[in-house]
Amino acid sequence: MKKTLLSFAIIFVVLSNMKAQTYNNLWIPDTLIGTTFNLAVKDTFKQLLSGNQTITGGINNNFWGPTLFFNKGDTVHMNVKNKLNDSTTIHWHGMHLPAVMDGGPHQVIPPGTLWQPYWKVTNNAGTYWYHPHLHEMTLEHLSKGIGGFIIVRDAAESALTLPRKYGVDDIPLVLTSRRYDASNQFVTTNVSYGDYMLTNGTPSAQVSLPKQYVRLRILNAEIERGYDLGFSDNRTFYIIANDGGLVNAPVAVTRVKLMVGERVEIMVNLGNDLVGSSIDLKAYNSGQAFGFPGAEPASSGQFGSLLNNIDFPVLHINVIAPTANPVTSVPPVLASNVYWTSANATVTRTLNITNGNPGPNPIPFNFDNASFVLNTINKTVNLNDIEKWTVVNNNVFGHTFHIHDVEFKIVDRNGSTAAVGSHEAGWKDVMYVPKGESVSFVAKFDDYADAIHPFMYHCHFSNHEDDGMMGQFVVTNPAGFNEIKKEIISFSLFPNPTEDKLTIKMGDMTTEVYYITIVNINGKAVMMLPQPEMSKGIDVSTLAKGVYFVQLMDKKTKSITTQKFVKN
Ligand code: C2O
Ligand code: CU
């Protein structure tokens, strides 16, 4: 009798432990490969909790989007269709491209409109991402789940023996968390932190990984929370890449801090683990210094969260049999990047993180006491200049600073080159600026000048960014001409009417087209084509039958000329 009770008790303990550890299989984003990418941004819903489904957003999916594979050197064409009921934008975070293709707050895609940016991929192999960037709406759109990974491949990275089987030994991980209201909907106002972890949009995620070296490409896509990542047995792992690609040599660590917007690629050895055993990737967020986002002790309210100031799992890993030809070591040499130093910079700038509202409520934050204004250009950078920017944080909290257009090198923290962490040794586009520090980077602003269209720099906390902690700069080419005279650009459209392709013939063949917008009879934009490749014509086959207008803006004078056509 005693024995029965005991085994009953044991079974009960085992069962209740199992109940405490119900995992869901990690969703691995599907992939799009090639040079033309069709992305439908949409409202949708997903079963995240038991009970009501949650209204979400996604790109071709019901949370998050496909992983886009680019090859360095290819020209990639994007067909971004906005199927939301709201305007939005899609920004290619980390990509070096013309400002007009960048998808910042100026490239607003109205509902129902197709936006077709394209660019030549010049970034190094690495892990980048894309996400909405509409001013004052970024938190809401990103919180819905709109975003995706970009993985760039190049010859140098491909020549190394690294895990590269996507979803098998090369796993993308987007880390975020959400707060839910009583009807299971995402809370997107007065919220800095979620309460429940989502890894690739999966609550309580688990994955099966082979008994060998695996590569994790980790992105922090939170509102504010930082992660101090490590494994549950404190094993050593290797940082092999930062935001802008491979570091020169792997960095052995047991923890890595990953702040909002940053990416890190790590390799971890599961080769000594037993098949059938498991290990957790965890956030060791308890006991962080004041100012670390997510270290606040409150468990609720605008600055609190159930995940604040605790250690919590982000991914449960079950070890399975090795694959054929597993990767069994970390290459000792990964890249031969030559980084900029302070000595390379010919222009220096300082940005102070300031408090725009010095009342009892210390937000919104901004830069140099000026909040973002859509039509104010804050800085002008000369094409090809190498600049050193120092972000000074004598404010109350840590922030992550991100700049568009370039990958940079962090050159010092509080003036000390040695204080730059080995985990952030590579090319970066986001840097953490803790409370009480000034952090400097050096970057070269090459290839793309546009006196009209700006790039952004901002805090990557989406609530701070939406509140105006953002500025913008144009890159101008002093050698270029600046002659502005309005003129009517003559062009003709044929065939007209057309069924599928519209060819534009310029009256003056030297005219360069800056932007084409196709609007319908009600004046609503249906297609947006930045700097279209005129020789290819315009594919209008997806437009409904009717009358449309081509609004053509020329590059030199920025004047707009309109012509009518009929779609049959
Ligand atoms: Cu990740 Cu301005 O953006
Ligand atoms: Cu901030």
Side-chain angles (χ1 to χ4, degrees):
M1 182 63 187
K2 216 173 178 185
K3 211 174 169 188
T4 323
L5 261 182
L6 184 65
S7 40
F8 195 78
I10 290 171
I11 290 172
F12 180 77
V13 168
V14 170
L15 279 177
S16 51
N17 274 340
M18 281 172 62
K19 188 162 181 280
Q21 297 177 347
T22 350
Y23 295 108
N24 302 299
N25 289 333
L26 179 77
W27 177 67
I28 303 288
D30 49 327
T31 60
L32 293 177
I33 299 171
T35 54
T36 301
F37 297 86
N38 298 326
L39 303 175
V41 187
K42 56 179 192 174
D43 285 310
T44 171
F45 43 83
K46 183 169 180 172
Q47 191 79 51
L48 289 167
L49 304 176
S50 58
N52 287 343
Q53 302 201 65
T54 304
I55 297 167
T56 57
I59 299 182
N60 307 357
N61 289 299
N62 64 0
F63 189 94
W64 204 240
T67 299
L68 315 181
F69 280 86
F70 295 171
N71 287 313
K72 184 175 181 175
D74 279 357
T75 295
V76 292
H77 289 80
M78 300 294 159
N79 297 316
V80 181
K81 182 76 188 255
N82 179 7
K83 295 188 167 176
L84 303 172
N85 294 320
D86 278 340
S87 293
T88 194
T89 83
I90 295 293
H91 165 58
W92 319 103
H93 180 126
M95 290 283 109
H96 180 50
L97 38 57
V100 74
M101 311 290 181
D102 188 47
H106 292 269
Q107 287 89 39
V108 180
I109 319 169
T113 300
L114 178 67
W115 177 53
Q116 298 185 296
Y118 66 94
W119 66 94
K120 182 174 176 183
V121 178
T122 57
N123 286 76
N124 292 330
T127 306
Y128 305 87
W129 61 305
Y130 56 102
H131 64 77
H133 213 310
L134 184 65
H135 187 46
E136 298 182 329
M137 293 299 287
T138 299
L139 186 152
E140 187 177 324
H141 289 175
L142 196 57
S143 289
K144 281 171 185 263
I146 301 171
F149 279 103
I150 295 171
I151 293 179
V152 176
R153 301 235 196 261
D154 68 15
E157 189 264 355
S158 298
L160 294 166
T161 305
L162 293 173
R164 205 174 280 113
K165 289 185 216 85
Y166 181 82
V168 177
D169 63 1
D170 180 354
I171 312 290
L173 292 177
V174 49
L175 308 185
T176 186
S177 60
R178 291 291 181 274
R179 173 165 296 171
Y180 299 90
D181 68 15
S183 53
N184 290 357
Q185 303 312 311
F186 292 147
V187 175
T188 57
T189 50
N190 298 326
V191 63
S192 305
Y193 304 105
D195 294 318
Y196 298 95
M197 187 69 208
L198 289 174
T199 305
N200 295 358
T202 309
S204 307
Q206 69 171 355
V207 68
S208 294
L209 294 179
K211 181 181 159 58
Q212 63 201 56
Y213 268 98
V214 297
R215 178 187 197 166
L216 306 177
R217 302 172 183 259
I218 314 175
L219 160 67
N220 180 336
E222 282 279 9
I223 301 171
E224 282 198 22
R225 187 189 315 285
Y227 286 77
D228 195 2
L229 294 167
F231 291 91
S232 47
D233 63 355
N234 295 318
R235 73 181 57 192
T236 296
F237 56 96
Y238 300 88
I239 295 170
I240 61 166
N242 284 158
D243 305 339
L246 294 169
V247 291
N248 287 344
V251 181
V253 294
T254 56
R255 294 282 184 273
V256 65
K257 287 199 172 79
L258 188 70
M259 312 310 275
V260 176
E262 289 186 305
R263 289 85 67 208
V264 68
E265 293 182 27
I266 64 168
M267 277 174 72
V268 59
N269 188 11
L270 304 179
N272 300 321
D273 294 72
L274 294 173
V275 170
S277 67
S278 57
I279 181 174
D280 285 339
L281 176 66
K282 291 181 70 171
Y284 288 92
N285 281 14
S286 61
Q288 297 288 345
F290 175 77
F292 179 93
E296 300 95 318
S299 57
S300 63
Q302 182 170 1
F303 307 108
S305 152
L306 295 177
L307 297 177
N308 273 10
N309 199 30
I310 60 165
D311 300 341
F312 58 92
V314 302
L315 182 65
H316 184 65
I317 297 168
N318 299 308
V319 180
I320 57 170
T323 62
N325 308 314
V327 172
T328 55
S329 63
V330 184
V333 176
L334 296 164
S336 50
N337 299 310
V338 179
Y339 299 114
W340 307 122
T341 67
S342 295
N344 296 121
T346 55
V347 176
T348 59
R349 301 179 193 265
T350 303
L351 287 175
N352 283 288
I353 294 178
T354 44
N355 182 345
N357 173 19
N361 189 2
I363 55 170
F365 297 104
N366 57 20
F367 294 110
D368 297 327
N369 291 306
S371 291
F372 180 71
V373 176
L374 194 68
N375 292 319
T376 301
I377 302 297
N378 303 89
K379 316 267 174 216
T380 299
V381 173
N382 288 335
L383 183 68
N384 292 324
D385 272 2
I386 299 174
E387 296 202 357
K388 177 177 179 177
W389 291 38
T390 300
V391 181
V392 180
N393 185 3
N394 288 323
N395 213 259
V396 296
F397 204 67
H399 301 265
T400 62
F401 183 87
H402 170 53
I403 186 167
H404 293 204
D405 182 28
V406 293
E407 292 292 328
F408 57 70
K409 171 66 179 163
I410 304 176
V411 292
D412 58 60
R413 289 188 172 271
N414 280 337
S416 159
T417 310
V420 178
S422 54
H423 68 286
E424 55 185 10
W427 292 114
K428 297 278 296 166
D429 53 54
V430 179
M431 62 182 191
Y432 182 47
V433 189
K435 169 185 151 54
E437 267 194 36
S438 11
V439 190
S440 306
F441 69 78
V442 175
K444 182 174 186 186
F445 296 80
D446 53 4
D447 299 319
Y448 303 115
D450 186 333
I452 303 288
H453 231 95
F455 291 108
M456 302 293 128
Y457 57 85
H458 55 93
C459 176
H460 215 293
F461 297 176
S462 47
N463 50 349
H464 293 184
E465 172 186 344
D466 281 346
D467 281 343
M469 194 176 181
M470 178 157 68
Q472 46 194 349
F473 65 99
V474 289
V475 179
T476 59
N477 184 355
F481 52 81
N482 287 304
E483 163 205 354
I484 303 276
K485 79 172 170 8
K486 292 284 174 198
E487 56 181 281
I488 303 294
I489 305 300
S490 91
F491 68 95
S492 51
L493 302 173
F494 68 91
N496 189 2
T498 179
E499 264 172 40
D500 46 12
K501 192 153 258 187
L502 191 63
T503 303
I504 300 183
K505 190 168 175 299
M506 302 305 299
D508 172 356
M509 291 309 284
T510 65
T511 306
E512 279 185 80
V513 177
Y514 184 70
Y515 218 107
I516 284 179
T517 309
I518 298 180
V519 302
N520 67 16
I521 194 90
N522 300 319
K524 184 186 166 308
V526 290
M527 289 177 69
M528 296 161 60
L529 303 104
Q531 296 175 20
E533 294 160 295
M534 301 297 283
S535 60
K536 289 192 170 170
I538 299 172
D539 181 355
V540 293
S541 59
T542 59
L543 297 181
K545 286 184 183 178
V547 173
Y548 294 89
F549 298 90
V550 170
Q551 299 179 335
L552 183 148
M553 182 188 279
D554 88 294
K555 189 168 182 191
K556 189 160 64 169
T557 70
K558 301 289 190 294
S559 27
I560 295 172
T561 311
T562 301
Q563 295 278 358
K564 182 166 100 180
F565 74 96
V566 175
K567 167 70 178 29
N568 271 341

